Amino acid sequence: MECPHLSSSVCIAPDSAKFPNGSPSSWCCSVCRSNKSPWVCLTCSSVHCGRYVNGHAKKHYEDAQVPLTNHKKSEKQDKPQHTVCMDCSSYSTYCYRCDDFVVNDTKLGLVQKVREHLQNLENSAFTADRHRKRKLLENSSLNSKLLKVNGSTAAICATGLRNLGNTCFMNAILQSLSNIEQFCCYFKELPAVELRNGKTAGRRTYHTRSQGDNNVSLVEEFRKTLCALWQGSQTAFSPESLFYVVWKIMPNFRGYQQQDAHEFMRYLLDHLHLELQGGFNGVSRSAILQENSALSASNKCCINGASTVVTAIFGGILQNEVNCLICGTESRKFDPFLDLSLDIPSQFRNKRSKNQENGPVCSLRDCLRSFTDLEELDETELYMCHKCKKKQKSTKKFWIQKLPKVLCLHLKRFHWTAYLRNKVDTYVEFPLRGLDMKCYLLEPENSGPEHCLYDLAAVVVHHGSGVGSGHYTAYATHEGRWFHFNDSTVTLTDEDTVVKAKAYILFYVERQAKAGSDKL
């Protein structure tokens, strides 16, 4: 958005003396001393926390708008308004009067100068911190990879993702996918594509909604993001280039509103699948798949055309059986899937915590059983029977005809009422290891016992009361240890904490067969 208030609000010059010491992304709010989501006022250089912490940045703006009765109207107009601030992590600029993010600059380019100055401060602090960490590592054992930061245990090897403005839904999905080894390794091994050349080669750019660049690749930016994670070279990575491509090719996710993480995951996987089908970096999709011998033909599940790594890993097949209750005619249909959306049974929907006394705890098996049990369709879902030649009452049942390598289970926590989309906050118990899917298979006798067992790889959690608000985080296991990913903050956690989470999306990886068996 082109903001008309920059000239009256951006009054600070990039001068280190006016800013706090240390890394801008870890500056503390001058009111509550929180170092989460710091924003700097571009009028007075004071630092406050964002609206999703304690909201002191917005309160700073509101306090500055109280008019002084003795001032003339013209004097109030000339007075700096403290309306524009900058995110100290992503360097995006926001105007409270416009209530939107800003893409333009002052005539003197002060916004960009402040942005570059904050970047330099961040880089300097990062270099000093990396040097300090290297010394600590040299003095510690090789097994010690943890560092105490503000009283919590943070993992050095893990990299967080900066929040670009309500992008926690994207960060939680990206961190989960980055810890699915089969999927992540495929993209990291793809050849790099240089989308910029000439004068802009190698230069970091700040994409905005007004830019008209059609030469974008979701696969390439996804690959770059995955490569940046787990390298241990930085504490947080800013996925702004990937987010820009998401804006370009997924219009539903434009803007900075909170979005549904499951919906984003489906759009992301679908678009990666479509782009891989069309070829990548001049190499046909089929040639890429052939080079990766692990993706054998027997593991492919085609969705919307030929198979890709997306369908080879996440793709399964459902058999949908519908029986007419009048004449007994049976109809069978095979549907490919990338994930299964499971209802939380109604009898459990008032149970919010694991330790609540009123009745049994809802388990993931209860949700799977509800999904696959025989169901009589209601009056709004009458089945068109070809034998009766009219719509009739019928029953429906799902069987899993083929299990995927990675089983993605989505718990339907958001339901529409008359006017609102409410959240089902029920705790659902889920296993960390040994999820047995054999009893849901159409032909279980044709599958080996280990091909039906799944171990948990990642969990996405929604904190809050509604889909358009709240916050997303993720838990994932890496090299035998569990981590909690909360945007730019990554902390080591334990299994007891993970199993207590109110899961929204669960990623289960097929247990590896013993030596001599086929592997993906």
Side-chain angles (χ1 to χ4, degrees):
M1 183 210 70
E2 298 283 337
C3 174
H5 309 115
L6 293 183
S7 59
S8 62
S9 296
V10 182
C11 306
I12 61 173
D15 182 0
S16 298
K18 294 185 178 181
F19 295 109
N21 295 324
S23 167
S25 61
S26 59
W27 283 346
C28 295
C29 172
S30 59
V31 178
C32 65
R33 307 308 299 167
S34 171
N35 63 352
K36 295 181 179 178
S37 185
W39 291 74
V40 60
C41 175
L42 297 189
T43 301
C44 63
S45 73
S46 60
V47 177
H48 298 88
C49 60
R51 66 177 69 190
Y52 296 107
V53 183
N54 291 314
H56 289 126
K58 186 176 182 182
K59 190 175 187 305
H60 173 70
Y61 153 72
E62 291 170 345
D63 291 345
Q65 308 315 302
V66 178
L68 299 175
T69 54
N70 295 332
H71 283 200
K72 297 179 181 180
K73 185 177 181 180
S74 59
E75 290 175 338
K76 286 188 287 181
Q77 289 176 339
D78 294 337
K79 182 182 177 181
Q81 298 297 309
H82 302 263
T83 61
V84 181
C85 57
M86 181 177 289
D87 187 335
C88 298
S89 296
S90 65
Y91 315 119
S92 54
T93 311
Y94 191 87
C95 175
Y96 282 109
R97 286 185 68 182
C98 298
D99 195 23
D100 202 352
F101 284 83
V102 177
V103 299
N104 57 317
D105 203 339
T106 65
K107 291 181 179 180
L108 298 177
L110 288 179
V111 173
Q112 181 62 23
K113 289 179 180 178
V114 172
R115 178 180 289 127
E116 291 174 353
H117 185 67
L118 293 186
Q119 271 191 292
N120 291 334
L121 292 177
E122 184 77 28
N123 292 336
S124 299
F126 172 71
T127 301
D129 189 51
R130 184 169 58 179
H131 181 68
R132 182 174 60 87
K133 287 179 181 179
R134 186 181 293 115
K135 283 190 173 182
L136 285 173
L137 284 173
E138 289 172 355
N139 296 330
S140 63
S141 65
L142 293 176
N143 293 328
S144 177
K145 295 184 179 181
L146 303 177
L147 179 69
K148 287 283 184 179
V149 180
N150 296 329
S152 64
T153 306
I156 294 176
C157 58
T159 300
L161 287 169
R162 291 195 176 101
N163 193 315
L164 306 179
N166 281 332
T167 57
C168 56
F169 68 93
M170 178 178 74
N171 292 346
I173 294 298
L174 292 176
Q175 292 286 14
S176 298
L177 294 178
S178 76
N179 285 283
I180 297 174
E181 186 177 0
Q182 300 160 317
F183 189 66
C184 180
C185 288
Y186 173 85
F187 284 92
K188 288 165 69 174
E189 291 171 3
L190 285 175
V193 175
E194 187 58 56
L195 294 179
R196 299 193 302 271
N197 49 41
K199 294 181 179 179
T200 61
R203 184 183 304 169
R204 186 177 183 181
T205 59
Y206 290 87
H207 297 295
T208 68
R209 283 168 283 185
S210 61
Q211 288 179 311
D213 182 9
N214 294 319
N215 189 22
V216 295
S217 168
L218 179 65
V219 171
E220 170 65 2
E221 294 305 330
F222 185 68
R223 182 195 70 80
K224 289 179 181 176
T225 302
L226 294 182
C227 288
L229 301 175
W230 293 108
Q231 289 184 342
S233 59
Q234 53 187 332
T235 56
F237 174 75
S238 182
E240 54 193 14
S241 295
L242 175 62
F243 193 41
Y244 167 69
V245 175
V246 169
W247 276 21
K248 293 289 290 184
I249 66 177
M250 305 180 200
N252 290 3
F253 297 95
R254 288 176 185 168
Y256 294 94
Q257 300 82 18
Q258 181 64 281
Q259 303 282 358
D260 184 0
H262 175 252
E263 185 180 357
F264 172 75
M265 182 196 74
R266 285 306 312 268
Y267 270 88
L268 177 66
L269 292 179
D270 287 345
H271 280 80
L272 288 171
H273 173 64
L274 290 173
E275 189 173 320
L276 286 168
Q277 282 183 312
F280 183 74
N281 194 22
V283 182
S284 69
R285 174 207 52 80
S286 58
I288 294 173
L289 284 176
Q290 288 173 5
E291 287 179 6
N292 193 338
S293 58
L295 298 175
S296 62
S298 61
N299 292 326
K300 295 179 183 178
C301 171
C302 298
I303 298 176
N304 297 328
S307 175
T308 67
V309 66
V310 176
T311 54
I313 289 179
F314 289 95
I317 299 175
L318 282 176
Q319 177 177 291
N320 183 0
E321 292 181 359
V322 180
N323 285 276
C324 176
L325 291 177
I326 306 302
C327 68
T329 299
E330 183 180 271
S331 172
R332 295 181 180 180
K333 181 183 177 183
F334 292 95
D335 296 313
F337 68 87
L338 294 179
D339 70 309
L340 298 178
S341 291
L342 311 178
D343 280 306
I344 297 174
S346 56
Q347 66 266 31
F348 297 108
R349 291 189 183 177
N350 293 324
K351 189 172 178 62
R352 291 176 171 267
S353 67
K354 183 177 181 179
N355 299 321
Q356 200 167 324
E357 296 294 336
N358 56 342
V361 174
C362 179
S363 69
L364 186 59
R365 188 167 292 279
D366 292 319
C367 300
L368 285 165
R369 190 181 299 115
S370 175
F371 179 78
T372 56
D373 276 351
L374 188 68
E375 170 191 5
E376 184 173 337
L377 300 178
D378 59 31
E379 295 292 334
T380 62
E381 298 178 294
L382 292 178
Y383 162 66
M384 183 64 190
C385 178
H386 298 292
K387 188 173 181 180
C388 298
K389 299 190 183 302
K390 64 177 181 179
K391 291 185 176 181
Q392 301 282 30
K393 286 188 175 182
S394 59
T395 60
K396 179 180 72 172
K397 180 174 176 60
F398 284 119
W399 293 96
I400 298 177
Q401 198 266 341
K402 175 189 175 295
L403 283 167
K405 292 295 180 184
V406 175
L407 179 64
C408 179
L409 301 176
H410 161 235
L411 299 180
K412 296 161 100 173
R413 291 197 174 274
F414 300 105
H415 289 266
W416 284 105
T417 58
Y419 301 102
L420 298 173
R421 198 178 187 190
N422 293 328
K423 181 180 178 182
V424 180
D425 206 29
T426 302
Y427 170 77
V428 177
E429 195 173 50
F430 54 90
L432 291 180
R433 301 175 190 85
L435 174 65
D436 192 350
M437 295 295 294
K438 191 168 188 176
C439 60
Y440 310 109
L441 282 175
L442 180 64
E443 298 175 340
E445 65 277 3
N446 294 335
S447 297
E450 294 218 356
H451 288 290
C452 301
L453 293 179
Y454 286 81
D455 297 323
L456 189 65
V459 188
V460 173
V461 181
H462 177 268
H463 311 267
S465 58
V467 67
S469 60
H471 183 59
Y472 286 99
T473 65
Y475 293 95
T477 180
H478 184 81
E479 296 181 351
R481 297 185 298 174
W482 280 96
F483 295 87
H484 183 216
F485 298 91
N486 182 5
D487 288 335
S488 57
T489 303
V490 183
T491 55
L492 191 69
T493 188
D494 53 39
E495 293 183 353
D496 291 339
T497 302
V498 176
V499 296
K500 291 177 184 177
K502 292 182 180 178
Y504 181 46
I505 305 172
L506 296 147
F507 296 88
Y508 280 94
V509 177
E510 182 185 50
R511 184 170 290 180
Q512 292 295 315
K514 295 179 180 178
S517 301
D518 292 335
K519 294 184 180 181
L520 177 69

